[in-house]
Amino acid sequence: MINLPQDQKIWVPWMRRAIQLALLGEGRTSPNPLVGAIVLDSSERLVGEGFHSGAGNAHAEIEALAEAGEKSVGGTIVVTLEPCCHEGLTPPCTEALIKAGLKKVVVGMVDPDPRVSGKGISRLKDSGLEVIEGVLNKECEGINREFIFRIRNGRPWGILKWAMSLDGRIGLQNGCSKWITNVPARDSVHQIRSKCDAVIVGGGTVRADNPLLTSRGKSTLEPLRVVFSKSLNLPKFAKLWDTKIAKTLIAYGPEGDEAFFSDLQDGPEKLRLNSNDPSELLKSLANKGCNKILWECGPLLATSAIADDCVQELVVFVAPKLLGGKSAMSPLNSFGFESIDSTYKLQHSFLDRKGHDLCWRLLL
């Protein structure tokens, strides 16, 4: 804060509040970003607050203006993201700000969406409003890391999660893997799922574990459950085929035997891909509006996802247990590296304790 210009310093506490509001919508706004806004009257007293709660719902600015009412005239709005200037599921926010009679707009970050990307700020300035840009810019970009990544790369931010013993095993050589970690760690996984738009597993995981892949009530909006299969060699009966609790998408490559669907109950969506590349699947999920996805798959698919640049973050749970055995399961397959220098170098994010287990988050 010391290095900020004086005209930005006074808005920092208000922008922090707007960021707190934005985070109230976490896990529910895709394909839209997280946005929070507050309105101050002409005496810089708080008169309105709002946040974006989901695609199709009112934007944060509109919520804050509605609460402020006529007190917004001559006042200031502090918003984490540049107000939109295009017609989407809701009208452009720039026009609402101009109509409200505001004098000043304080913006945290420019919207990377090419439909906006500075045009909203220009529209406000052209209408005579004072615009102060870049207040807590890094913090505002941080809460929308996944949205920014999708806009710039055309695919969602990928998180790969696994749980393993201290000696790096995800199960015994006989296939037994329940439960390596304890309840607090598993509860944390449900929390992570509740903040993601989709959870992806391979056919092997469906056959071996018959998972449910829900947030276990952590969110009313469950993530899309995605089964990514090359062959469609899948069980006829699985928890994932029941879509009353959450939606399911079965994605498969060109070798998939579509005869599987003839005996499958109605409910799951089908998606035929031109290849078995994880990147093609993620492009399809981006088109469905996914900003953030979670890989909860076996070693082969996990390795392929990393190699295809479909994983940006690792969440690794480590249990204080020793499983041993040369043929015991490992979380990843071979990358074909022939020297230590050619291996993936990870960036430490943070280490947390979940009961007796550790949770390590890293960036690729």
Side-chain angles (χ1 to χ4, degrees), residues 237-360:
F237 301 98
K239 294 175 183 177
L240 293 176
W241 307 157
D242 183 352
T243 56
K244 295 185 183 69
I245 299 175
K247 295 180 180 179
T248 298
L249 170 70
I250 302 174
Y252 58 99
E255 305 107 55
D257 183 1
E258 294 178 334
F260 164 75
F261 296 127
S262 61
D263 294 327
L264 185 67
Q265 65 191 71
D266 292 335
E269 180 184 353
K270 294 91 174 176
L271 175 64
R272 189 183 190 280
L273 301 171
N274 295 317
S275 72
N276 295 310
D277 297 339
S279 58
E280 185 181 352
L281 172 61
L282 291 204
K283 288 176 183 177
S284 296
L285 292 178
N287 291 335
K288 286 180 172 291
C290 294
N291 286 336
K292 179 166 60 174
I293 59 95
L294 178 64
W295 295 94
E296 289 199 54
C297 51
L300 290 175
L301 183 52
T303 304
S304 179
I306 292 174
D308 218 17
D309 199 24
C310 292
V311 175
Q312 284 65 54
E313 183 178 2
L314 297 180
V315 178
V316 180
F317 293 90
V318 183
K321 298 175 182 177
L322 298 176
L323 274 60
K326 288 185 178 180
S327 58
M329 292 189 287
S330 168
L332 295 171
N333 197 28
S334 172
F335 288 108
F337 296 133
E338 295 184 356
S339 70
I340 298 298
D341 288 341
S342 62
T343 59
Y344 289 100
K345 311 299 188 297
L346 308 180
Q347 302 174 49
H348 171 73
S349 182
F350 72 86
L351 187 64
D352 195 12
R353 186 168 180 171
K354 303 294 181 182
H356 295 298
D357 306 315
L358 295 178
C359 176
W360 199 2

Side-chain angles (χ1 to χ4, degrees), residues 72-139:
S72 62
V73 176
T76 300
I77 188 166
V78 179
V79 60
T80 57
L81 181 75
E82 174 186 9
C84 64
C85 56
H86 65 284
E87 190 84 30
L89 294 177
T90 58
C93 290
T94 50
E95 306 314 300
L97 268 58
I98 295 166
K99 186 177 179 180
L102 291 164
K103 181 180 179 181
K104 188 177 299 182
V105 181
V106 180
V107 176
M109 62 171 282
V110 172
D111 191 337
D113 190 325
R115 295 174 297 176
V116 187
S117 195
K119 301 182 186 73
I121 290 173
S122 296
R123 170 66 178 143
L124 295 171
K125 288 180 177 179
D126 291 344
S127 297
L129 279 74
E130 180 185 355
V131 180
I132 298 175
E133 303 175 48
V135 176
L136 294 185
N137 177 260
K138 288 185 178 180
E139 289 87 342

Side-chain angles (χ1 to χ4, degrees), residues 36-290:
I38 63 170
V39 175
L40 309 173
D41 65 14
S42 56
S43 299
E44 295 184 2
R45 293 173 298 195
L46 179 63
V47 293
E49 295 184 326
F51 70 96
H52 183 45
S53 60
N57 296 341
H59 287 192
E61 301 95 316
I62 306 305
E63 290 280 345
L65 288 173
E67 186 174 290
E70 294 183 358
K71 295 177 183 178
S72 62
V73 176
T76 300
I77 188 166
V78 179
V79 60
T80 57
L81 181 75
E82 174 186 9
C84 64
C85 56
H86 65 284
E87 190 84 30
L89 294 177
T90 58
C93 290
T94 50
E95 306 314 300
L97 268 58
I98 295 166
K99 186 177 179 180
L102 291 164
K103 181 180 179 181
K104 188 177 299 182
V105 181
V106 180
V107 176
M109 62 171 282
V110 172
D111 191 337
D113 190 325
R115 295 174 297 176
V116 187
S117 195
K119 301 182 186 73
I121 290 173
S122 296
R123 170 66 178 143
L124 295 171
K125 288 180 177 179
D126 291 344
S127 297
L129 279 74
E130 180 185 355
V131 180
I132 298 175
E133 303 175 48
V135 176
L136 294 185
N137 177 260
K138 288 185 178 180
E139 289 87 342
C140 291
E141 290 184 345
I143 65 171
N144 275 309
R145 175 184 63 180
E146 295 86 7
F147 168 75
I148 295 170
F149 184 86
R150 179 181 64 80
I151 291 295
R152 292 177 177 170
N153 297 279
R155 62 182 185 278
W157 178 273
I159 302 173
L160 172 61
K161 161 261 165 186
W162 72 72
M164 68 181 186
S165 61
L166 189 61
D167 56 338
R169 308 299 185 185
I170 62 171
L172 299 174
Q173 62 187 52
N174 65 2
C176 181
S177 61
K178 292 185 178 180
W179 294 99
I180 291 177
T181 54
N182 293 311
V183 173
R186 300 200 294 272
D187 186 70
S188 181
V189 172
H190 300 152
Q191 190 67 39
I192 294 170
R193 285 180 192 161
S194 75
K195 306 299 182 185
C196 290
D197 303 309
V199 181
I200 306 173
V201 295
T205 299
V206 179
R207 291 189 294 270
D209 298 339
N210 191 20
L212 187 59
L213 300 182
T214 67
S215 70
R216 303 300 197 275
K218 300 291 183 185
S219 174
T220 56
L221 184 63
E222 293 287 356
L224 174 67
R225 303 173 300 178
V226 180
V227 178
F228 188 28
S229 173
K230 290 182 180 179
S231 63
L232 287 178
N233 177 23
L234 301 170
K236 292 183 179 180
F237 301 98
K239 294 175 183 177
L240 293 176
W241 307 157
D242 183 352
T243 56
K244 295 185 183 69
I245 299 175
K247 295 180 180 179
T248 298
L249 170 70
I250 302 174
Y252 58 99
E255 305 107 55
D257 183 1
E258 294 178 334
F260 164 75
F261 296 127
S262 61
D263 294 327
L264 185 67
Q265 65 191 71
D266 292 335
E269 180 184 353
K270 294 91 174 176
L271 175 64
R272 189 183 190 280
L273 301 171
N274 295 317
S275 72
N276 295 310
D277 297 339
S279 58
E280 185 181 352
L281 172 61
L282 291 204
K283 288 176 183 177
S284 296
L285 292 178
N287 291 335
K288 286 180 172 291
C290 294

